[in-house]
Amino acid sequence: MEHDAHETHETHHHHTGHEDHHGGHTGHGGGTASWSTAAKATLHCLTGCAIGEVLGMIIGTALGWGNAPTMVLAIALAFFFGYALTLRGVLAAGLDLRSAVRVALAADTLSILVMEIVDNGVLLLVPGAMDAHLDDPLFWGALAFAFAVAFLVTTPVNKWMIGRGKGHAVVHRYHH
């Protein structure tokens, strides 16, 4: 969803101290974003991804599925819950569903994609992690490690995107 600079500025005119509120975020098309802002956006993304992945793993395990179908379900649910968290916020800000879906897709797709590639890649590299059961400390330890690595890799991606008015900068346009 594209907005010209004037319209975006008018939308935010009522925000006193807007840049301070978002940790130095000035990126509606050419500024820079603070690491704090990027970390908050990444944590938001990680929350949705973690909910979806854990739920997918629980469902896949409960149904006796193998690693590949369980991973596909977990990734699909990670995208679903990642988008759902953003949708909740922008719908509450008054956007119609179609516009809210566009905002969520623009805000989260690259962040979720990077996060999913990294955390699932890490899980595939940790010996025994893919075969560990939900009651195995290896499962939870490997998952926590994978999420931590994904957070560290995805945060600079989000910083870069927000600094260019993309990613979670799109969502910030609708905060009241």
Side-chain angles (χ1 to χ4, degrees), residues 1-3 8 11-12 15 18 27-29 164-166 168-176:
M1 177 173 208
E2 295 296 320
H3 293 286
T8 302
T11 303
H12 283 320
H15 283 271
H18 177 74
H28 293 299
R164 282 148 187 77
K166 308 290 183 200
H168 271 259
V170 176
V171 174
H172 291 305
R173 294 177 190 154
Y174 300 100
H175 285 188
H176 292 294

Side-chain angles (χ1 to χ4, degrees), residues 46-59 70-71 73-79 81 112 115-117 119-120 123 134 139 143 146-147 150:
L46 179 63
T47 301
C49 289
I51 291 168
E53 282 198 37
V54 172
L55 184 58
M57 290 177 201
I58 290 170
I59 292 169
T70 299
M71 186 177 270
L73 176 63
I75 291 168
L77 289 175
F79 273 90
F81 282 98
I112 295 171
M115 188 159 292
E116 288 304 300
I117 289 169
D119 84 60
N120 284 287
L123 285 175
L134 296 174
F139 169 82
L143 188 62
F147 284 148

Side-chain angles (χ1 to χ4, degrees), residues 18-76:
H18 177 74
E19 279 72 22
D20 291 339
H21 174 69
H22 292 291
H25 161 69
T26 60
H28 293 299
T32 60
S34 72
W35 284 105
S36 173
T37 299
K40 288 175 188 173
T42 306
L43 188 58
H44 178 268
C45 177
L46 179 63
T47 301
C49 289
I51 291 168
E53 282 198 37
V54 172
L55 184 58
M57 290 177 201
I58 290 170
I59 292 169
T61 300
L63 296 176
W65 291 359
N67 288 339
T70 299
M71 186 177 270
V72 168
L73 176 63
I75 291 168

Side-chain angles (χ1 to χ4, degrees), residues 53-142:
E53 282 198 37
V54 172
L55 184 58
M57 290 177 201
I58 290 170
I59 292 169
T61 300
L63 296 176
W65 291 359
N67 288 339
T70 299
M71 186 177 270
V72 168
L73 176 63
I75 291 168
L77 289 175
F79 273 90
F80 173 80
F81 282 98
Y83 289 135
L85 288 180
T86 297
L87 276 173
R88 183 189 66 169
V90 293
L91 286 170
L95 261 65
D96 62 277
L97 182 60
R98 184 177 181 152
S99 297
V101 167
R102 287 180 179 163
V103 167
L105 291 172
D108 293 334
T109 300
L110 183 59
S111 183
I112 295 171
L113 182 63
V114 170
M115 188 159 292
E116 288 304 300
I117 289 169
V118 173
D119 84 60
N120 284 287
V122 169
L123 285 175
L124 289 169
L125 294 174
V126 173
M130 292 304 297
D131 296 318
H133 295 280
L134 296 174
D135 61 353
D136 187 338
L138 174 61
F139 169 82
W140 295 104

